[in-house]
Amino acid sequence: MEQLAGAGQPVDFSLIALFARASLTVQIVMVILILASFWAWAIIIQKFIAFNAARREADRFDRAFWSGQPLDDLYDRIGETPSGPAERIFSSGMAEWRRSHRDDGNLIAGVTARIDRAMNVTINRENDRLTRGLPFLATVGSTAPFIGLFGTVWGIKTAFEEIAISQNTSLAVVAPGIAEALVATALGLLAAIPAVIFYNKLSSDADRITGGYETFADEFSTILSRQLDDE
């Protein structure tokens, strides 16, 4: 888009031209917001991929776990290198179950509590992996509008300074500086809105996935408790 300003000279209002004409402070603000937006989208995409993989792995493991095969056979098949969060939670519980058996076959006292603690530690570790990066989305969502507003205020201040120097208050003189300043606010909103929306979505998804792990741990602990009662 082009408009005439001053003595009939065309003024370029493209984003690149607005960025190039902006003051150094406003340019720094714009660069910060653009980088924050790219980083936020990288986290969002990575989390969607990771969450979908975690759901698929949990579904596969649930089918194997409830297939009726002995738990010892399932644990032996998984081995010492479980491939996903659900398998790691199961393996941590089974490993503690086996370590709690004495050489004579009897169980060490307090085995149920130790199994629960072992699985809870693994669940907390998996939850940390799921939510890693989400605080950055929250930070972008809460601060980007204000960073953009700072750039806008600074840009408008610079525009008024140019008006005072040129002694010309026509809209053609003011418009380019105001447009440059408003781009900073637009970039702030462009970074903040997706960050807030996807932070809430991904946080809710992470809670549901972690809740599924906790439910499985409770069911697994109940199964082992029944075996203890039978022995």
Side-chain angles (χ1 to χ4, degrees):
M1 176 181 177
E2 293 186 352
Q3 292 184 357
L4 296 181
Q9 294 180 348
V11 179
D12 188 357
F13 280 92
S14 66
L15 292 177
I16 295 176
L18 291 173
F19 175 82
R21 286 198 305 267
S23 65
L24 178 61
T25 301
V26 178
Q27 287 179 342
I28 292 173
V29 168
M30 291 180 179
V31 169
I32 290 173
L33 292 173
I34 291 172
L35 292 177
S37 182
F38 275 114
W39 194 354
W41 276 107
I43 291 173
I44 290 167
I45 293 171
Q46 187 272 331
K47 288 302 174 186
F48 269 107
I49 295 172
F51 286 9
N52 286 333
R55 293 189 190 98
R56 289 194 300 270
E57 187 269 341
D59 289 341
R60 287 195 304 270
F61 177 76
D62 280 346
R63 288 194 295 270
F65 183 81
W66 297 109
S67 64
Q69 66 176 306
L71 296 182
D72 286 315
D73 292 348
L74 178 61
Y75 179 61
D76 292 335
R77 183 171 62 81
I78 292 173
E80 297 180 357
T81 57
S83 61
E87 289 187 357
R88 284 192 286 269
I89 295 167
F90 169 74
S91 294
S92 65
M94 282 298 296
E96 187 60 41
W97 167 262
R98 288 189 173 182
R99 283 195 294 265
S100 296
H101 284 79
R102 295 194 182 98
D103 294 336
D104 58 5
N106 293 323
L107 286 168
I108 301 173
V111 58
T112 303
R114 287 194 303 275
I115 290 172
D116 289 341
R117 282 197 298 270
M119 289 192 292
N120 286 335
V121 168
T122 307
I123 290 172
N124 290 335
R125 191 178 297 121
E126 297 303 329
N127 182 64
D128 288 341
R129 288 195 181 100
L130 289 173
T131 58
R132 190 175 301 152
L134 295 187
F136 179 78
L137 295 182
T139 300
V140 171
S142 61
T143 62
F146 297 103
I147 295 174
L149 182 60
F150 169 76
T152 296
V153 171
W154 192 273
I156 292 175
K157 179 187 78 70
T158 302
F160 279 123
E161 289 174 352
E162 292 175 354
I163 292 172
I165 293 172
S166 65
Q167 299 292 316
N168 188 343
T169 59
S170 69
L171 184 60
V173 174
V174 178
I178 300 298
E180 296 158 16
L182 292 177
V183 169
T185 295
L187 289 175
L189 295 175
L190 187 64
I193 293 173
V196 171
I197 292 173
F198 285 105
Y199 170 77
N200 292 329
K201 156 105 177 123
L202 293 172
S203 295
S204 177
D205 289 347
D207 290 341
R208 281 196 291 270
I209 293 172
T210 302
Y213 295 153
E214 292 172 346
T215 299
F216 164 74
D218 291 339
E219 292 172 341
F220 183 36
S221 181
T222 300
I223 292 173
L224 294 181
S225 295
R226 290 198 197 99
Q227 292 192 18
L228 285 173
D229 294 339
D230 293 339
E231 293 182 359

